[in-house]
Amino acid sequence: MAAAEPQSVASSRAQSPVQPIIVQGSDSSGNSPFDMVDRTVTPPPRGSFTDLDGSRNGGPSRFSPPPTTSPQRPRFGHGGNRFGQNFQGRPTPPPNRGPQDQDQTGLSEYVRRRAELLEVLSSLHATGVQKELDLPQIVVVGSQSVGKSSLIESMSGITLPRDSGTCTRCPMECRLQYDKNWSCKVVLRFHVDSENNPLSDIHEKTFGPTIYDRTEVAAVLRRAQRAILRPMLDPNLFLDDSDLTTPGFPPQSFSANTVCIRVAGPNVPDLYFYDLPGIIANVADEGNERDIRLVEELAVKYMSQVNCIILLVISCETDFENQGAGRLVLRNQNLRNRVVGVLTKVDRIEPGTSLRWVNILKNKDNQLKNGWFCVKQPSARELEAGISWEDARDNEDAFFRLHEPWASLNSMYRRRMGSIALSEHLSTLLSDLVSQKLPLIQKEISRLLRATEQDLAAIPAPNIRDPRREVITIIRDFRKIVSKHIQGLSPDSPDSPVGLPGLLHSINQLYDELKHDVHRTAPQFMPWERRSATEFSDAVLDDMVKEATLDDAEGTTGRIYHVDEVMDMAKRSRTRELPGNYPFIVTENIIRAVIDSWHSHAIRCFESVKEVVFTQISHLVGVYFSKYSHSGFLDEVNSVVLRTIEEHGVSTKEKIESLCSLEALPFTQNEHYFLNYREKLRNRYKSLYRRSRGQEHLIENLKKCESAGVGADHSDEYQEFWRNVNQILTSLRAIGIQNRNASDLTLLLPKDEMDPAMDIMAEARAYFQVAYKRFADTVPQQIDSSFLRGFDSSLDIALMYMDLSTETCLEYLQEAPDTVRRREELVAKKRRLERARERLQSSGRM
């Protein structure tokens, strides 16, 4: 059964005589600050602001309280309390309401400086600069119904709403500070919209007049929270409860916007913290499961900031393991180092379980680097009776002195009991952290201001005096860039498209492919009879094929003709020709069969070129007009480009088809090349044919004579053969027949009946060589002239036919919403940083 509530006892203010006590000191092993060796010391007088450490990294803190005249203070822990290193053990006894034995001047100076630091921190938070900076702060985290509201009431002296359904549903910022007269101001801070999306700028709105009557605070806070949960309504509607009769706009279940409470008074500690909505494990039947995640994400967002001190509230009324906030915080070792734990509802501990909670207070279980505190808040009956803040603190003090297991704990642990001790500890932690971080905050504000100003300079606000002239200038500059690409750019040119090859580089690759494709259509002439091919070994046949197709491209796909097939075609084509003559139609048919296939290659090449042009020019449009994609300017230019490409594509395709029709009619004036090539092929074909007829030995010896001379073979037979060939060539030169070599002597062999076929084969293949080279030039030339250069010359005119009225040009030049939004964000950011700098300057910190 829970212990009975103690009555208000004013006599508890009197302090019992000071007695020597045993306090555990630390060893050097880095153990918990509570695992210490025993030594006898005398505690400082109740009410002093001394901490149990007294040092900070080996020396006194710049903002530590002044030294006292009391005996040596007990040391608590083994190090200083620098935040992020070892900010442990600053439990301070509650201030004494009786005479002080400290140096009052020094104490007042310390309190004043601490108040100044926390005021600077509060003013920085008010600027909204925490959106850019990780400002020091304390956040109060706990599960629902663990007594967070009562804890805040005990530290602030105000009464929070306690009606059904009025649990904390948004962060509450509390700034507490000393003043001669009590007052309370409530401010609404909005930094997210109704969908919890961040606003470009944080803005605050004072909610009603300053409050001077504590009894009015709860009602104002209740209305302020309703205003936060219905941000679409004017906050003034909530001041007189007009919102209750305003239909529509259902309230949010939770919000990330903040109710700011600024309390000042004679018994108010210097403290600054955020109270977050309680962690929830489930929702009511009509609730939204998403709220569970939303509240937890809100807590994680605050706690994840490195400069955040976490006040973890745990109720002794419920098993530790069942409290979601404890699991959320303590499972992360990095968070543990920044947590101050506080046990609430200590008067409701189940019988037989008190040792477990005492071990937590002693930091033996659920250890925290900063240890645990415990508090006792007024009961429901006392609250209904209107107990005063002073009497509540007296009752709290009496409870811990008179009730077990707390009363029997030594003074080291007693100094971690009570709301005032907790407030003083938190205030000291936070002010020390601010003192440490303030120089870094000052530097970061200056750095961020410079960076923000540079970002703003990169997107200056437009100053358009003549929109029509501006648009025409943009179009003409774009036209010049397009012309550069069509004329040709080197890969290292600054105008070359990023991530894409040069335009002409890509097109030239397509022209090379056309040339190779056309070359591969060459007819393959085999100057031996089809039936005799079976008489050769594979090696001999392969060698003959290789020599016959010596000028063909690799992978040639042209039709294969054997000499007897060509001869048969020639014989069947004869009509009125004289004997020994064959019609040209045979050669022409062979040529046409090949050239007819060129049409598809030419059209495919052109379509590929057109695709490359469209892709790269569209890319240029996208890059050059990217900031006008929202206004229709980019789309209109892209439409003109596409239309101009298509128009020139149609006319160019017609000209390419005309070229293909011309090539279907054999014609050349390249007489020298054609005749020489035909003669070379005729000799090759006849040589191969004779080799297929068994005359290869004579032909091979003639080739040896031509290529290697007398040294090709040292046999007597070859030496004799070479002398005879050399004598014949010498005799020919003597009678005036020059420029003949040994292989030419094959022409003196008797004519074969297949000679006409070999003449046709040589003529058809020679013409192919002339025609394919010409075609591989004229098609790219036509594409370049009609399509590329035609498009280049027509684009300027086409763009000038756009709607360039002043009204339309003004629409074209409208800034992109993203750019406007970005500039607004930067302006708001700069304003926040400047406000923060001004606050620091006015406080003398910069």
Side-chain angles (χ1 to χ4, degrees):
M1 181 178 296
E5 293 290 339
Q7 299 298 318
S8 174
V9 280
S11 61
S12 66
R13 301 179 186 221
Q15 201 172 2
S16 52
V18 176
Q19 299 291 335
I21 61 173
I22 301 299
V23 180
Q24 294 177 321
S26 71
D27 59 19
S28 60
S29 63
N31 293 328
S32 165
F34 296 94
D35 298 333
M36 308 170 184
V37 297
D38 292 342
R39 59 190 176 88
T40 304
V41 297
T42 303
R46 183 174 183 267
S48 72
F49 283 90
T50 60
D51 73 300
L52 297 179
D53 186 348
S55 65
R56 182 171 182 168
N57 290 334
S61 168
R62 175 183 167 197
F63 288 93
S64 296
T68 71
T69 57
S70 15
Q72 180 183 9
R73 291 171 289 169
R75 297 188 59 80
F76 186 86
H78 58 282
N81 68 337
R82 186 175 297 278
F83 186 76
Q85 299 173 10
N86 185 21
F87 80 74
Q88 64 191 24
R90 280 190 111 35
T92 306
N96 187 6
R97 300 183 180 90
Q100 303 289 322
D101 63 352
Q102 299 187 32
D103 182 353
Q104 294 296 331
T105 302
L107 178 59
S108 298
E109 178 65 17
Y110 164 70
V111 173
R112 183 187 64 78
R113 283 184 292 180
R114 185 173 68 179
E116 286 179 355
L117 284 172
L118 296 183
E119 184 58 31
V120 169
L121 178 63
S122 176
S123 65
L124 287 176
H125 277 272
T127 66
V129 77
Q130 64 269 30
K131 193 171 184 179
E132 285 74 42
L133 296 173
D134 179 11
L135 295 179
Q137 60 186 354
I138 296 174
V139 295
V140 184
V141 178
S143 300
Q144 276 192 341
S145 303
V146 296
K148 282 198 303 98
S149 296
S150 297
L151 177 63
I152 292 168
E153 288 178 346
S154 69
M155 291 191 294
S156 65
I158 62 173
T159 303
L160 300 180
R162 291 185 176 275
D163 299 346
S164 175
T166 58
C167 64
T168 306
R169 295 188 174 274
C170 65
M172 185 169 65
E173 177 192 278
C174 297
R175 171 65 179 110
L176 313 178
Q177 63 187 114
Y178 171 83
D179 197 2
K180 293 180 180 180
N181 302 309
W182 190 93
S183 65
C184 177
K185 294 181 181 179
V186 178
V187 175
L188 307 182
R189 181 181 298 152
F190 295 94
H191 57 89
V192 297
D193 59 19
S194 57
E195 300 296 325
N196 276 325
N197 298 313
L199 297 175
S200 61
D201 194 15
I202 297 174
H203 63 276
E204 292 187 347
K205 183 173 180 61
T206 301
F207 190 73
T210 301
I211 305 169
Y212 297 100
D213 184 350
R214 298 188 190 198
T215 62
E216 297 177 0
V217 174
V220 174
L221 292 181
R222 186 184 303 109
R223 293 168 181 145
Q225 181 168 262
R226 293 206 309 264
I228 287 290
L229 297 177
R230 297 179 77 183
M232 64 292 296
L233 296 180
D234 183 354
N236 291 324
L237 288 174
F238 297 84
L239 293 173
D240 59 1
D241 292 334
S242 296
D243 64 296
L244 298 177
T245 59
T246 303
F249 306 109
Q252 301 169 253
S253 53
F254 289 91
S255 174
N257 289 320
T258 308
V259 173
C260 305
I261 310 169
R262 293 158 190 177
V263 181
N267 291 322
V268 177
D270 281 310
L271 195 56
Y272 184 84
F273 61 89
Y274 283 86
D275 177 32
L276 301 183
I279 304 297
I280 53 179
N282 49 63
V283 295
D285 292 340
E286 68 277 7
N288 190 339
E289 290 286 342
R290 190 167 58 91
D291 292 341
I292 299 175
R293 187 177 69 254
L294 188 149
V295 172
E296 185 171 316
E297 288 174 351
L298 181 64
V300 170
K301 178 181 177 182
Y302 275 83
M303 295 189 301
S304 62
Q305 299 179 55
V306 176
N307 290 331
C308 175
I309 301 170
I310 303 164
L311 179 59
L312 173 62
V313 184
I314 295 294
S315 170
C316 295
E317 189 179 29
T318 307
D319 287 345
F320 193 107
E321 293 76 11
N322 293 334
Q323 301 185 48
R327 294 194 304 272
L328 180 65
V329 174
L330 300 184
R331 69 188 178 192
N332 188 329
Q333 184 60 44
N334 292 329
L335 295 184
R336 278 176 177 261
N337 295 335
R338 298 188 274 112
V339 175
V340 176
V342 57
L343 304 177
T344 63
K345 301 186 180 183
V346 294
D347 53 330
R348 301 184 187 180
I349 295 175
E350 289 292 329
T353 64
S354 60
L355 180 60
R356 179 180 185 186
W357 300 108
V358 169
N359 284 336
I360 292 178
L361 177 64
K362 292 182 176 181
N363 214 28
K364 292 181 178 180
D365 295 338
N366 297 303
Q367 293 182 354
L368 300 176
K369 193 170 185 178
N370 298 282
W372 290 84
F373 285 76
C374 60
V375 297
K376 191 272 177 189
Q377 309 305 336
S379 66
R381 185 169 63 252
E382 289 174 325
L383 292 172
E384 290 175 3
I387 187 171
S388 68
W389 181 84
E390 291 80 5
D391 286 345
R393 301 288 70 75
D394 284 337
N395 285 355
E396 182 182 35
D397 185 42
F399 175 85
F400 287 118
R401 286 191 296 104
L402 301 175
H403 289 76
E404 295 297 343
W406 319 107
S408 61
L409 295 178
N410 66 40
S411 62
M412 181 178 67
Y413 304 126
R414 290 288 303 276
R415 292 176 183 178
R416 286 186 163 254
M417 299 177 191
S419 304
I420 295 177
L422 173 63
S423 298
E424 179 64 23
H425 180 72
L426 293 174
S427 180
T428 303
L429 271 183
L430 186 58
S431 61
D432 280 355
L433 177 59
V434 175
S435 174
Q436 176 191 345
K437 295 296 181 181
L438 203 53
L440 299 177
I441 291 173
Q442 294 166 351
K443 291 180 180 179
E444 187 65 6
I445 287 175
S446 298
R447 187 192 68 80
L448 288 174
L449 259 176
R450 290 193 299 270
T452 304
E453 288 168 350
Q454 290 174 358
D455 292 342
L456 275 171
I459 49 173
N463 183 19
I464 303 171
R465 298 181 179 179
D466 187 345
R468 191 168 182 274
R469 182 175 182 177
E470 184 81 12
V471 167
I472 291 174
T473 300
I474 293 171
I475 289 174
R476 286 183 172 170
D477 288 344
F478 168 70
R479 164 70 181 78
K480 291 176 183 177
I481 291 176
V482 172
S483 185
K484 285 182 180 180
H485 281 267
I486 291 177
Q487 296 304 321
L489 289 172
S490 61
D492 57 352
S493 171
D495 293 322
S496 294
V498 177
L500 291 174
L503 178 64
L504 289 188
H505 173 76
S506 299
I507 291 175
N508 286 336
Q509 287 183 322
L510 295 174
Y511 292 160
D512 287 341
E513 291 178 11
L514 171 66
K515 181 178 180 180
H516 294 314
D517 289 343
V518 173
H519 193 190
R520 281 191 287 266
T521 64
Q524 301 179 75
F525 293 113
M526 306 300 164
W528 56 85
E529 297 180 29
R530 178 185 293 272
R531 61 178 178 272
S532 64
T534 59
E535 300 173 0
F536 307 134
S537 67
D538 292 341
V540 171
L541 183 60
D542 288 344
D543 186 60
M544 292 173 64
V545 170
K546 183 177 181 180
E547 185 173 350
T549 59
L550 195 61
D551 297 323
D552 294 351
E554 184 178 354
T556 296
T557 58
R559 179 181 170 182
I560 297 175
Y561 294 90
H562 286 83
V563 66
D564 52 334
E565 294 178 78
V566 175
M567 194 66 230
D568 182 62
M569 292 168 59
K571 288 179 179 179
R572 288 188 287 106
S573 298
R574 289 191 65 213
T575 54
R576 297 178 181 275
E577 288 80 8
L578 294 174
N581 292 288
Y582 296 92
F584 179 68
I585 190 63
V586 179
T587 304
E588 186 177 12
N589 285 342
I590 294 174
I591 292 172
R592 287 178 65 95
V594 173
I595 291 177
D596 284 347
S597 67
W598 292 358
H599 176 271
S600 62
H601 294 296
I603 296 301
R604 184 167 60 250
C605 174
F606 170 65
E607 293 295 343
S608 298
V609 169
K610 189 171 76 169
E611 181 65 26
V612 167
V613 171
F614 176 72
T615 299
Q616 296 226 16
I617 302 301
S618 294
H619 175 78
L620 291 176
V621 173
V623 170
Y624 196 78
F625 294 92
S626 59
K627 61 180 181 180
Y628 306 110
S629 59
H630 62 285
S631 65
F633 197 4
L634 183 149
D635 292 337
E636 184 63 24
V637 171
N638 214 31
S639 176
V640 171
V641 167
L642 177 60
R643 185 167 60 249
T644 306
I645 288 175
E646 289 298 331
E647 289 173 357
H648 284 274
V650 171
S651 61
T652 303
K653 188 174 181 179
E654 291 174 353
K655 292 176 181 179
I656 291 174
E657 290 176 342
S658 177
L659 283 177
C660 293
S661 298
L662 288 175
E663 284 295 344
L665 303 174
F667 175 85
T668 183
Q669 288 293 308
N670 194 355
E671 181 177 339
H672 178 74
Y673 182 78
F674 171 73
L675 294 177
N676 284 347
Y677 205 79
R678 184 183 66 179
E679 185 67 14
K680 183 182 74 171
L681 291 172
R682 180 188 289 119
N683 293 340
R684 183 189 301 168
Y685 292 159
K686 288 186 176 182
S687 174
L688 287 169
Y689 179 73
R690 289 186 171 88
R691 187 187 304 177
S692 70
R693 299 296 298 272
Q695 300 171 339
E696 68 275 8
H697 183 66
L698 172 62
I699 295 171
E700 285 298 325
N701 282 337
L702 289 173
K703 285 185 175 183
K704 286 182 180 181
C705 291
E706 182 177 343
S707 61
V710 68
D713 190 339
H714 296 287
S715 63
D716 293 340
E717 180 183 0
Y718 175 75
Q719 292 296 319
E720 180 66 22
F721 181 83
W722 181 84
R723 284 192 294 271
N724 292 333
V725 168
N726 191 48
Q727 184 178 354
I728 293 171
L729 294 176
T730 301
S731 299
L732 289 173
R733 287 192 291 273
I735 63 175
I737 301 176
Q738 305 293 331
N739 300 323
R740 292 296 175 179
N741 50 46
S743 61
D744 290 334
L745 298 180
T746 58
L747 299 175
L748 300 176
L749 294 172
K751 283 193 174 185
D752 192 274
E753 62 175 355
M754 294 295 179
D755 280 355
M758 284 183 280
D759 289 341
I760 293 172
M761 291 161 61
E763 189 168 71
R765 184 60 182 81
Y767 182 77
F768 173 87
Q769 198 72 12
V770 171
Y772 111 82
K773 288 179 177 291
R774 178 178 62 208
F775 191 76
D777 280 341
T778 54
V779 170
Q781 184 181 37
Q782 189 69 65
I783 293 174
D784 185 70
S785 175
S786 300
F787 182 64
L788 290 176
R789 297 182 185 277
F791 166 74
D792 185 26
S793 61
S794 300
L795 183 59
D796 194 21
I797 299 173
L799 289 171
M800 289 299 106
Y801 271 100
M802 290 170 52
D803 181 1
L804 297 179
S805 63
T806 301
E807 295 77 10
T808 302
C809 290
L810 199 56
E811 291 179 6
Y812 285 160
L813 297 176
Q814 287 181 354
E815 282 193 296
D818 289 345
T819 302
V820 175
R821 184 163 52 251
R822 173 62 176 160
R823 185 184 299 108
E824 290 174 350
E825 290 173 353
L826 288 171
V827 169
K829 180 179 179 180
K830 181 182 178 184
R831 190 160 51 242
R832 289 192 297 270
L833 292 167
E834 288 175 338
R835 285 199 301 259
R837 183 177 62 182
E838 290 169 2
R839 298 291 176 89
L840 290 174
Q841 288 173 340
S842 63
S843 68
R845 301 293 171 178
M846 287 192 77

